[in-house]
Amino acid sequence: MLAEQPLTAVLDAFASSDPTPGGGSAAALTGALGASLLAMVAALPRTKTGAPEERHALDAARGALLRARDELVGLIDRDAAAYDLVVAAYRKSKTTDEEKAARAAAIQDALRVATDVPVETVRACATAIDQARAVAQHGNPSARSDVAVGIQTLMVAVQSAMFNVEANIGSLKDPAIVEQITENLRALQRTMQGAGETIFKDANLIELYTNMAKRLGSTHGPRSNAS
Amino acid sequence: MLAEQPLTAVLDAFASSDPTPGGGSAAALTGALGASLLAMVAALPRTKTGAPEERHALDAARGALLRARDELVGLIDRDAAAYDLVVAAYRKSKTTDEEKAARAAAIQDALRVATDVPVETVRACATAIDQARAVAQHGNPSARSDVAVGIQTLMVAVQSAMFNVEANIGSLKDPAIVEQITENLRALQRTMQGAGETIFKDANLIELYTNMAKRLGSTHGPRSNAS
Protein backbone atom coordinates (compact mmCIF):
# COMPACT_ATOMS: atom_id res chain seq x y z
CA MET A 1 0.00 0.00 0.00
CA LEU A 2 1.36 3.37 -1.04
CA ALA A 3 0.26 5.00 2.24
CA GLU A 4 2.50 2.63 4.23
CA GLN A 5 5.59 3.98 2.48
CA PRO A 6 7.54 7.00 3.76
CA LEU A 7 6.09 10.32 2.59
CA THR A 8 9.24 11.06 0.55
CA ALA A 9 8.82 7.73 -1.32
CA VAL A 10 5.14 8.54 -1.95
CA LEU A 11 6.08 11.93 -3.42
CA ASP A 12 8.78 10.23 -5.54
CA ALA A 13 6.13 7.83 -6.84
CA PHE A 14 3.94 10.78 -7.87
CA ALA A 15 6.96 12.48 -9.52
CA SER A 16 8.19 9.39 -11.41
CA SER A 17 7.54 8.93 -15.13
CA ASP A 18 5.19 6.04 -14.25
CA PRO A 19 1.69 7.50 -14.80
CA THR A 20 0.41 5.99 -11.52
CA PRO A 21 -0.08 7.30 -8.93
CA GLY A 22 -1.45 10.30 -10.81
CA GLY A 23 -3.99 13.07 -10.39
CA GLY A 24 -6.77 10.84 -9.06
CA SER A 25 -4.54 9.49 -6.29
CA ALA A 26 -3.34 13.05 -5.60
CA ALA A 27 -6.98 14.13 -5.17
CA ALA A 28 -7.54 11.39 -2.59
CA LEU A 29 -4.33 12.24 -0.72
CA THR A 30 -5.21 15.94 -0.70
CA GLY A 31 -8.64 15.13 0.70
CA ALA A 32 -7.11 12.89 3.38
CA LEU A 33 -4.83 15.75 4.44
CA GLY A 34 -7.71 18.25 4.66
CA ALA A 35 -9.84 15.82 6.69
CA SER A 36 -6.88 15.14 9.04
CA LEU A 37 -6.40 18.84 9.72
CA LEU A 38 -10.07 19.31 10.61
CA ALA A 39 -9.89 16.20 12.83
CA MET A 40 -6.99 17.87 14.68
CA VAL A 41 -9.05 20.99 15.42
CA ALA A 42 -11.94 18.77 16.58
CA ALA A 43 -9.52 17.07 19.01
CA LEU A 44 -8.15 20.24 20.64
CA PRO A 45 -8.95 20.27 24.39
CA ARG A 46 -10.37 23.80 24.24
CA THR A 47 -13.64 24.38 22.39
CA LYS A 48 -15.20 27.73 21.47
CA THR A 49 -17.29 28.20 24.64
CA GLY A 50 -16.34 25.13 26.71
CA ALA A 51 -19.96 23.87 26.77
CA PRO A 52 -20.26 20.05 27.03
CA GLU A 53 -22.52 19.91 23.94
CA GLU A 54 -19.64 21.40 21.96
CA ARG A 55 -17.34 18.59 23.11
CA HIS A 56 -19.93 16.02 22.01
CA ALA A 57 -20.42 17.70 18.62
CA LEU A 58 -16.66 17.89 18.04
CA ASP A 59 -16.10 14.27 19.11
CA ALA A 60 -18.77 13.13 16.65
CA ALA A 61 -17.29 15.30 13.89
CA ARG A 62 -13.82 13.90 14.59
CA GLY A 63 -15.08 10.33 14.29
CA ALA A 64 -16.72 11.03 10.94
CA LEU A 65 -13.67 12.96 9.68
CA LEU A 66 -11.31 10.10 10.56
CA ARG A 67 -13.58 7.60 8.79
CA ALA A 68 -13.63 9.82 5.68
CA ARG A 69 -9.85 10.18 5.95
CA ASP A 70 -9.34 6.40 6.11
CA GLU A 71 -11.57 5.96 3.07
CA LEU A 72 -9.59 8.60 1.17
CA VAL A 73 -6.31 6.85 2.08
CA GLY A 74 -7.73 3.67 0.54
CA LEU A 75 -8.74 5.61 -2.57
CA ILE A 76 -5.11 6.64 -3.20
CA ASP A 77 -4.32 3.02 -4.11
CA ARG A 78 -7.71 2.27 -5.64
CA ASP A 79 -7.29 5.09 -8.15
CA ALA A 80 -3.83 3.89 -9.19
CA ALA A 81 -5.10 0.30 -9.54
CA ALA A 82 -8.06 1.48 -11.65
CA TYR A 83 -5.79 3.34 -14.06
CA ASP A 84 -3.46 0.34 -14.33
CA LEU A 85 -6.51 -1.77 -15.29
CA VAL A 86 -7.37 0.67 -18.07
CA VAL A 87 -3.83 0.46 -19.46
CA ALA A 88 -3.90 -3.36 -19.25
CA ALA A 89 -7.23 -3.46 -21.11
CA TYR A 90 -5.90 -1.28 -23.95
CA ARG A 91 -2.90 -3.64 -24.27
CA LYS A 92 -5.07 -6.73 -24.79
CA SER A 93 -4.65 -8.64 -28.04
CA LYS A 94 -6.90 -7.48 -30.91
CA THR A 95 -6.18 -9.88 -33.79
CA THR A 96 -9.46 -11.75 -34.15
CA ASP A 97 -12.95 -10.26 -34.03
CA GLU A 98 -13.54 -12.15 -30.80
CA GLU A 99 -10.42 -10.64 -29.26
CA LYS A 100 -11.44 -7.19 -30.44
CA ALA A 101 -14.84 -7.53 -28.79
CA ALA A 102 -13.31 -8.84 -25.55
CA ARG A 103 -10.79 -6.00 -25.54
CA ALA A 104 -13.48 -3.36 -26.11
CA ALA A 105 -15.56 -4.79 -23.26
CA ALA A 106 -12.55 -4.90 -20.93
CA ILE A 107 -11.74 -1.26 -21.76
CA GLN A 108 -15.30 -0.17 -20.97
CA ASP A 109 -15.31 -2.13 -17.68
CA ALA A 110 -11.98 -0.63 -16.65
CA LEU A 111 -13.02 2.91 -17.62
CA ARG A 112 -16.18 2.47 -15.56
CA VAL A 113 -14.08 1.68 -12.46
CA ALA A 114 -11.65 4.51 -13.25
CA THR A 115 -14.61 6.91 -13.36
CA ASP A 116 -16.34 5.54 -10.26
CA VAL A 117 -13.23 5.81 -8.06
CA PRO A 118 -12.90 9.63 -8.29
CA VAL A 119 -16.68 9.88 -7.70
CA GLU A 120 -16.04 8.02 -4.43
CA THR A 121 -13.30 10.54 -3.66
CA VAL A 122 -15.79 13.38 -4.18
CA ARG A 123 -18.25 11.56 -1.89
CA ALA A 124 -15.72 11.11 0.95
CA CYS A 125 -14.63 14.76 0.65
CA ALA A 126 -18.29 15.89 0.71
CA THR A 127 -18.73 13.98 3.99
CA ALA A 128 -15.67 15.72 5.44
CA ILE A 129 -16.83 19.16 4.22
CA ASP A 130 -20.17 18.50 5.90
CA GLN A 131 -18.34 17.87 9.20
CA ALA A 132 -16.26 21.01 8.73
CA ARG A 133 -19.34 23.03 9.68
CA ALA A 134 -19.36 21.68 13.25
CA VAL A 135 -15.60 22.10 13.57
CA ALA A 136 -15.77 25.73 12.39
CA GLN A 137 -18.71 26.50 14.69
CA HIS A 138 -17.54 24.83 17.89
CA GLY A 139 -13.76 24.47 17.57
CA ASN A 140 -11.07 26.54 19.30
CA PRO A 141 -11.10 29.89 17.45
CA SER A 142 -7.30 30.17 17.73
CA ALA A 143 -7.10 27.29 15.22
CA ARG A 144 -9.21 29.05 12.63
CA SER A 145 -6.42 29.17 10.05
CA ASP A 146 -6.19 25.36 10.35
CA VAL A 147 -9.95 25.14 9.73
CA ALA A 148 -9.64 27.43 6.72
CA VAL A 149 -6.76 25.38 5.29
CA GLY A 150 -8.65 22.14 5.93
CA ILE A 151 -11.78 23.31 4.09
CA GLN A 152 -9.87 24.80 1.14
CA THR A 153 -7.81 21.63 0.83
CA LEU A 154 -10.94 19.46 0.75
CA MET A 155 -12.52 21.73 -1.86
CA VAL A 156 -9.52 21.46 -4.16
CA ALA A 157 -9.55 17.68 -3.66
CA VAL A 158 -13.15 17.69 -4.92
CA GLN A 159 -12.15 19.74 -7.95
CA SER A 160 -9.19 17.45 -8.65
CA ALA A 161 -11.36 14.34 -8.43
CA MET A 162 -13.87 16.00 -10.81
CA PHE A 163 -11.06 16.53 -13.36
CA ASN A 164 -10.38 12.81 -13.18
CA VAL A 165 -14.01 11.92 -13.72
CA GLU A 166 -14.04 14.23 -16.72
CA ALA A 167 -10.84 12.71 -18.12
CA ASN A 168 -12.56 9.29 -18.32
CA ILE A 169 -16.30 9.74 -18.63
CA GLY A 170 -16.15 10.90 -22.26
CA SER A 171 -14.84 7.46 -23.31
CA LEU A 172 -17.73 5.57 -21.71
CA LYS A 173 -20.10 4.38 -24.40
CA ASP A 174 -23.16 3.31 -22.41
CA PRO A 175 -25.34 6.43 -22.02
CA ALA A 176 -27.17 4.88 -19.05
CA ILE A 177 -23.91 4.51 -17.12
CA VAL A 178 -22.83 8.03 -18.04
CA GLU A 179 -26.18 9.38 -16.85
CA GLN A 180 -25.97 7.44 -13.59
CA ILE A 181 -22.48 8.73 -12.79
CA THR A 182 -23.51 12.27 -13.73
CA GLU A 183 -26.58 12.06 -11.48
CA ASN A 184 -24.39 10.84 -8.58
CA LEU A 185 -22.13 13.84 -9.07
CA ARG A 186 -25.06 16.25 -9.31
CA ALA A 187 -26.45 14.92 -6.03
CA LEU A 188 -23.06 15.33 -4.36
CA GLN A 189 -22.71 18.81 -5.77
CA ARG A 190 -26.09 19.78 -4.30
CA THR A 191 -24.95 18.68 -0.82
CA MET A 192 -21.82 20.83 -1.13
CA GLN A 193 -23.41 23.83 -2.86
CA GLY A 194 -22.25 26.94 -1.08
CA ALA A 195 -20.96 24.88 1.90
CA GLY A 196 -17.49 26.37 1.79
CA GLU A 197 -18.78 29.92 1.56
CA THR A 198 -21.32 29.43 4.36
CA ILE A 199 -18.77 27.91 6.72
CA PHE A 200 -16.25 30.65 5.99
CA LYS A 201 -18.83 33.35 6.75
CA ASP A 202 -20.32 31.69 9.83
CA ALA A 203 -17.00 31.07 11.50
CA ASN A 204 -15.47 34.45 10.63
CA LEU A 205 -12.87 32.65 8.54
CA ILE A 206 -13.69 35.16 5.85
CA GLU A 207 -11.68 37.70 7.87
CA LEU A 208 -8.52 35.78 7.03
CA TYR A 209 -9.22 36.45 3.35
CA THR A 210 -10.34 40.04 3.66
CA ASN A 211 -7.46 41.01 5.95
CA MET A 212 -4.93 39.41 3.59
CA ALA A 213 -6.54 41.00 0.54
CA LYS A 214 -6.47 44.42 2.24
CA ARG A 215 -2.85 43.90 3.22
CA LEU A 216 -1.82 43.03 -0.34
CA GLY A 217 -4.06 45.63 -1.95
CA SER A 218 -5.90 42.99 -3.98
CA THR A 219 -9.58 42.36 -4.40
CA HIS A 220 -9.71 38.57 -4.66
CA GLY A 221 -12.35 36.71 -2.67
CA PRO A 222 -12.38 33.07 -1.64
CA ARG A 223 -13.54 30.30 -3.91
CA SER A 224 -17.27 30.55 -3.60
CA ASN A 225 -18.13 26.86 -3.70
CA ALA A 226 -16.87 23.35 -3.69
CA SER A 227 -17.31 22.46 -7.32
CA MET B 1 11.89 14.36 9.87
CA LEU B 2 8.17 14.02 9.35
CA ALA B 3 8.60 13.24 5.63
CA GLU B 4 10.65 10.14 6.45
CA GLN B 5 7.70 8.60 8.28
CA PRO B 6 5.05 6.48 6.54
CA LEU B 7 2.28 8.57 4.96
CA THR B 8 -0.31 7.10 7.37
CA ALA B 9 1.82 8.25 10.35
CA VAL B 10 2.15 11.71 8.78
CA LEU B 11 -1.63 11.96 8.40
CA ASP B 12 -2.05 10.76 12.01
CA ALA B 13 0.33 13.51 13.14
CA PHE B 14 -1.82 16.10 11.32
CA ALA B 15 -4.98 14.61 12.87
CA SER B 16 -3.65 14.38 16.45
CA SER B 17 -4.61 16.93 19.10
CA ASP B 18 -1.01 18.21 19.05
CA PRO B 19 -1.24 21.55 17.16
CA THR B 20 1.86 20.71 15.10
CA PRO B 21 2.05 19.80 12.30
CA GLY B 22 -0.79 22.19 11.42
CA GLY B 23 -2.06 24.27 8.52
CA GLY B 24 1.36 25.69 7.61
CA SER B 25 2.89 22.24 7.27
CA ALA B 26 -0.20 21.10 5.35
CA ALA B 27 0.34 23.97 2.90
CA ALA B 28 3.93 22.85 2.30
CA LEU B 29 2.90 19.20 1.85
CA THR B 30 0.12 20.18 -0.55
CA GLY B 31 2.59 22.22 -2.58
CA ALA B 32 5.07 19.32 -2.64
CA LEU B 33 2.35 17.04 -4.00
CA GLY B 34 1.35 19.50 -6.74
CA ALA B 35 4.98 19.99 -7.79
CA SER B 36 5.54 16.20 -7.86
CA LEU B 37 2.57 15.67 -10.15
CA LEU B 38 3.82 18.28 -12.63
CA ALA B 39 7.30 16.71 -12.44
CA MET B 40 5.70 13.40 -13.46
CA VAL B 41 4.12 14.92 -16.57
CA ALA B 42 7.47 16.54 -17.44
CA ALA B 43 9.08 13.07 -17.22
CA LEU B 44 6.65 11.27 -19.54
CA PRO B 45 8.49 9.88 -22.61
CA ARG B 46 5.96 11.40 -25.02
CA THR B 47 5.82 15.18 -25.40
CA LYS B 48 3.18 17.21 -27.24
CA THR B 49 4.86 17.29 -30.67
CA GLY B 50 7.96 15.16 -30.06
CA ALA B 51 10.31 18.04 -30.97
CA PRO B 52 13.72 17.88 -29.20
CA GLU B 53 13.28 21.46 -27.87
CA GLU B 54 10.21 20.23 -26.04
CA ARG B 55 12.25 17.50 -24.36
CA HIS B 56 14.84 20.09 -23.26
CA ALA B 57 12.15 22.45 -21.94
CA LEU B 58 10.44 19.64 -20.02
CA ASP B 59 13.73 18.34 -18.57
CA ALA B 60 14.56 21.84 -17.33
CA ALA B 61 11.07 22.25 -15.88
CA ARG B 62 11.33 18.86 -14.16
CA GLY B 63 14.62 19.85 -12.51
CA ALA B 64 13.17 23.10 -11.18
CA LEU B 65 9.97 21.37 -10.03
CA LEU B 66 11.90 18.72 -8.10
CA ARG B 67 14.02 21.42 -6.43
CA ALA B 68 10.86 23.32 -5.41
CA ARG B 69 9.38 20.04 -4.21
CA ASP B 70 12.41 19.26 -2.03
CA GLU B 71 12.26 22.74 -0.55
CA LEU B 72 8.56 22.30 0.22
CA VAL B 73 9.27 18.95 1.92
CA GLY B 74 11.76 20.75 4.17
CA LEU B 75 9.17 23.44 4.92
CA ILE B 76 6.77 20.82 6.36
CA ASP B 77 9.14 20.41 9.33
CA ARG B 78 10.29 24.03 9.41
CA ASP B 79 6.72 25.23 9.85
CA ALA B 80 6.07 22.83 12.72
CA ALA B 81 9.36 23.85 14.39
CA ALA B 82 8.50 27.53 14.01
CA TYR B 83 5.12 27.09 15.68
CA ASP B 84 6.69 25.08 18.51
CA LEU B 85 9.11 27.99 19.07
CA VAL B 86 6.19 30.43 19.38
CA VAL B 87 4.52 28.20 21.98
CA ALA B 88 7.82 27.88 23.91
CA ALA B 89 8.26 31.66 23.88
CA TYR B 90 4.77 32.25 25.28
CA ARG B 91 5.54 29.76 28.10
CA LYS B 92 8.64 31.64 29.24
CA SER B 93 8.69 32.93 32.82
CA LYS B 94 7.27 36.45 33.31
CA THR B 95 7.76 37.23 36.98
CA THR B 96 10.30 40.08 36.87
CA ASP B 97 10.32 43.03 34.47
CA GLU B 98 13.51 41.63 32.96
CA GLU B 99 11.84 38.29 32.33
CA LYS B 100 8.81 40.02 30.85
CA ALA B 101 10.99 41.94 28.39
CA ALA B 102 12.96 38.81 27.45
CA ARG B 103 9.72 36.89 26.93
CA ALA B 104 8.20 39.64 24.77
CA ALA B 105 11.35 39.72 22.62
CA ALA B 106 11.40 35.92 22.28
CA ILE B 107 7.73 35.94 21.22
CA GLN B 108 8.41 38.56 18.55
CA ASP B 109 11.45 36.64 17.25
CA ALA B 110 9.48 33.39 17.09
CA LEU B 111 6.48 35.02 15.40
CA ARG B 112 8.82 36.51 12.82
CA VAL B 113 10.09 33.03 11.92
CA ALA B 114 6.54 31.62 11.98
CA THR B 115 5.52 34.31 9.47
CA ASP B 116 8.60 33.97 7.26
CA VAL B 117 8.23 30.19 6.85
CA PRO B 118 4.82 30.32 5.07
CA VAL B 119 6.17 33.16 2.89
CA GLU B 120 8.91 30.70 1.82
CA THR B 121 6.18 28.17 1.06
CA VAL B 122 4.45 30.74 -1.17
CA ARG B 123 7.80 31.41 -2.88
CA ALA B 124 8.51 27.73 -3.60
CA CYS B 125 4.95 27.23 -4.91
CA ALA B 126 5.30 30.31 -7.13
CA THR B 127 8.45 28.78 -8.64
CA ALA B 128 6.56 25.55 -9.33
CA ILE B 129 3.56 27.41 -10.82
CA ASP B 130 5.99 29.25 -13.09
CA GLN B 131 7.29 25.87 -14.35
CA ALA B 132 3.74 24.60 -14.84
CA ARG B 133 3.51 26.79 -17.93
CA ALA B 134 6.18 24.78 -19.79
CA VAL B 135 4.67 21.49 -18.65
CA ALA B 136 1.19 22.50 -19.83
CA GLN B 137 2.55 23.77 -23.16
CA HIS B 138 4.89 20.93 -24.05
CA GLY B 139 3.76 17.92 -22.01
CA ASN B 140 1.83 14.87 -23.24
CA PRO B 141 -1.75 16.13 -23.76
CA SER B 142 -3.17 12.83 -22.50
CA ALA B 143 -1.90 13.84 -19.04
CA ARG B 144 -3.75 17.13 -19.02
CA SER B 145 -5.91 16.21 -16.03
CA ASP B 146 -2.68 15.61 -14.08
CA VAL B 147 -1.45 19.07 -15.11
CA ALA B 148 -4.77 20.60 -14.08
CA VAL B 149 -4.67 18.84 -10.70
CA GLY B 150 -1.03 19.86 -10.18
CA ILE B 151 -1.70 23.54 -10.83
CA GLN B 152 -4.88 23.67 -8.71
CA THR B 153 -3.08 21.89 -5.88
CA LEU B 154 -0.22 24.40 -5.97
CA MET B 155 -2.67 27.31 -6.01
CA VAL B 156 -4.47 26.05 -2.91
CA ALA B 157 -1.09 25.54 -1.23
CA VAL B 158 -0.37 29.24 -1.86
CA GLN B 159 -3.74 30.19 -0.37
CA SER B 160 -3.14 27.94 2.65
CA ALA B 161 0.29 29.43 3.26
CA MET B 162 -1.23 32.93 3.00
CA PHE B 163 -3.74 32.01 5.74
CA ASN B 164 -0.80 31.08 7.93
CA VAL B 165 0.98 34.36 7.25
CA GLU B 166 -2.23 36.19 8.16
CA ALA B 167 -2.65 34.17 11.37
CA ASN B 168 0.71 35.47 12.65
CA ILE B 169 1.49 38.78 11.02
CA GLY B 170 -1.08 40.72 13.07
CA SER B 171 0.89 39.96 16.26
CA LEU B 172 4.16 41.38 14.90
CA LYS B 173 4.83 44.76 16.50
CA ASP B 174 7.65 46.16 14.34
CA PRO B 175 5.96 47.98 11.43
CA ALA B 176 9.16 47.80 9.34
CA ILE B 177 9.16 43.98 9.56
CA VAL B 178 5.44 43.81 8.75
CA GLU B 179 5.99 46.04 5.73
CA GLN B 180 8.93 43.97 4.53
CA ILE B 181 6.98 40.70 4.74
CA THR B 182 3.99 42.32 3.03
CA GLU B 183 6.20 43.62 0.23
CA ASN B 184 7.69 40.13 -0.26
CA LEU B 185 4.18 38.72 -0.57
CA ARG B 186 3.09 41.47 -2.97
CA ALA B 187 6.07 40.75 -5.22
CA LEU B 188 5.28 37.01 -5.20
CA GLN B 189 1.64 37.73 -5.92
CA ARG B 190 2.62 39.82 -8.94
CA THR B 191 4.63 36.90 -10.37
CA MET B 192 1.61 34.61 -9.97
CA GLN B 193 -1.09 37.08 -11.05
CA GLY B 194 -3.34 35.34 -13.50
CA ALA B 195 -0.80 32.52 -14.00
CA GLY B 196 -3.27 29.74 -13.27
CA GLU B 197 -5.90 31.22 -15.57
CA THR B 198 -3.42 31.78 -18.40
CA ILE B 199 -2.02 28.27 -18.20
CA PHE B 200 -5.49 26.74 -18.11
CA LYS B 201 -6.52 28.68 -21.20
CA ASP B 202 -3.30 28.14 -23.17
CA ALA B 203 -3.21 24.40 -22.63
CA ASN B 204 -6.95 23.83 -23.20
CA LEU B 205 -7.23 22.66 -19.62
CA ILE B 206 -10.19 24.99 -19.37
CA GLU B 207 -12.14 22.39 -21.38
CA LEU B 208 -12.00 20.06 -18.39
CA TYR B 209 -13.89 22.70 -16.41
CA THR B 210 -16.35 23.73 -19.05
CA ASN B 211 -17.20 20.13 -20.02
CA MET B 212 -17.74 19.20 -16.39
CA ALA B 213 -19.81 22.33 -15.73
CA LYS B 214 -21.95 21.60 -18.78
CA ARG B 215 -22.39 17.99 -17.67
CA LEU B 216 -23.51 19.02 -14.19
CA GLY B 217 -25.58 21.95 -15.39
CA SER B 218 -23.60 24.40 -13.26
CA THR B 219 -21.97 27.67 -14.17
CA HIS B 220 -18.88 27.64 -11.97
CA GLY B 221 -15.56 28.57 -13.51
CA PRO B 222 -12.07 27.83 -12.25
CA ARG B 223 -10.36 29.84 -9.57
CA SER B 224 -9.18 32.82 -11.51
CA ASN B 225 -5.80 33.31 -9.83
CA ALA B 226 -3.34 32.00 -7.33
CA SER B 227 -4.05 34.30 -4.42
Side-chain angles (χ1 to χ4, degrees):
Chain A
M1 223 178 101
L2 204 59
E4 281 158 12
Q5 293 181 32
L7 174 58
T8 47
V10 173
L11 293 172
D12 280 342
F14 277 104
S16 88
S17 62
D18 191 332
T20 58
S25 297
L29 171 45
T30 305
L33 180 60
S36 298
L37 211 49
L38 291 169
M40 178 268 276
V41 180
L44 292 175
R46 232 189 88 201
T47 67
K48 190 175 274 173
T49 67
E53 311 86 68
E54 275 191 333
R55 183 76 274 154
H56 293 314
L58 289 169
D59 287 349
R62 177 171 168 82
L65 284 162
L66 291 178
R67 282 191 297 278
R69 194 270 305 263
D70 291 345
E71 209 184 322
L72 287 161
V73 168
L75 285 159
I76 300 172
D77 277 306
R78 281 177 59 196
D79 193 274
Y83 185 87
D84 291 340
L85 263 184
V86 173
V87 173
Y90 273 104
R91 284 189 186 145
K92 272 177 177 285
S93 171
K94 47 177 176 175
T95 317
T96 68
D97 282 352
E98 223 166 56
E99 281 176 351
K100 278 182 196 165
R103 176 175 174 270
I107 290 172
Q108 288 298 307
D109 284 350
L111 281 171
R112 169 75 196 270
V113 176
T115 314
D116 277 340
V117 167
V119 174
E120 289 310 304
T121 300
V122 174
R123 192 184 307 282
C125 289
T127 304
I129 289 171
D130 193 42
Q131 298 299 326
R133 201 181 301 269
V135 176
Q137 266 177 1
H138 305 304
N140 186 337
S142 72
R144 70 183 178 152
S145 67
D146 297 308
V147 176
V149 171
I151 295 171
Q152 284 275 132
T153 303
L154 281 163
M155 292 200 298
V156 88
V158 167
Q159 181 70 65
S160 297
M162 294 261 198
F163 283 149
N164 280 274
V165 173
E166 197 54 42
N168 291 314
I169 199 169
S171 307
L172 285 173
K173 290 182 175 158
D174 183 338
I177 291 178
V178 171
E179 182 49 35
Q180 193 195 317
I181 294 169
T182 305
E183 192 37 62
N184 285 344
L185 276 183
R186 278 201 205 103
L188 285 168
Q189 199 189 28
R190 277 192 297 272
T191 72
M192 289 181 287
Q193 203 87 48
E197 198 174 11
T198 309
I199 300 169
F200 267 87
K201 279 192 182 147
D202 288 356
N204 276 332
L205 297 174
I206 201 81
E207 274 180 24
L208 281 171
Y209 275 114
T210 49
N211 291 349
M212 177 53 76
K214 222 182 293 170
R215 189 179 307 285
L216 297 180
S218 65
T219 55
H220 314 311
R223 298 185 69 186
S224 64
N225 53 62
S227 66
Chain B
M1 226 178 97
L2 205 57
E4 281 158 12
Q5 293 180 33
L7 174 58
T8 47
V10 173
L11 292 172
D12 280 343
F14 276 104
S16 87
S17 62
D18 191 332
T20 57
S25 296
L29 171 46
T30 305
L33 180 61
S36 298
L37 212 49
L38 291 168
M40 179 268 277
V41 180
L44 293 175
R46 233 190 86 199
T47 67
K48 188 176 276 175
T49 68
E53 311 86 67
E54 274 190 334
R55 182 76 275 153
H56 293 314
L58 288 170
D59 287 350
R62 177 171 167 84
L65 283 162
L66 291 178
R67 282 191 297 279
R69 194 271 304 265
D70 292 345
E71 210 185 321
L72 286 161
V73 168
L75 284 159
I76 300 172
D77 277 306
R78 281 177 59 198
D79 193 275
Y83 184 88
D84 290 341
L85 262 184
V86 172
V87 173
Y90 273 105
R91 284 189 185 145
K92 271 177 176 284
S93 172
K94 49 176 177 176
T95 317
T96 68
D97 282 354
E98 223 164 57
E99 281 176 350
K100 279 181 196 167
R103 176 174 173 272
I107 290 171
Q108 288 298 307
D109 284 350
L111 280 171
R112 170 74 196 270
V113 177
T115 314
D116 278 340
V117 167
V119 173
E120 288 312 303
T121 300
V122 174
R123 190 183 310 281
C125 289
T127 303
I129 289 171
D130 194 41
Q131 297 300 327
R133 199 180 304 267
V135 177
Q137 266 176 1
H138 305 303
N140 185 337
S142 73
R144 69 182 180 153
S145 67
D146 297 308
V147 176
V149 171
I151 295 172
Q152 284 274 132
T153 303
L154 282 163
M155 291 200 299
V156 87
V158 167
Q159 182 69 67
S160 297
M162 293 262 198
F163 283 150
N164 280 274
V165 173
E166 197 55 42
N168 292 314
I169 199 171
S171 307
L172 285 173
K173 290 183 175 158
D174 183 338
I177 291 177
V178 170
E179 182 49 34
Q180 194 196 314
I181 293 169
T182 304
E183 193 37 61
N184 286 344
L185 275 183
R186 277 201 205 103
L188 286 168
Q189 199 189 29
R190 277 192 297 271
T191 70
M192 288 181 287
Q193 204 87 47
E197 198 173 11
T198 310
I199 300 169
F200 267 86
K201 279 190 184 148
D202 288 356
N204 276 334
L205 296 174
I206 200 83
E207 275 180 24
L208 281 171
Y209 275 116
T210 49
N211 291 349
M212 178 53 77
K214 221 181 293 169
R215 190 179 305 284
L216 297 179
S218 66
T219 55
H220 315 312
R223 297 184 70 187
S224 63
N225 53 61
S227 64

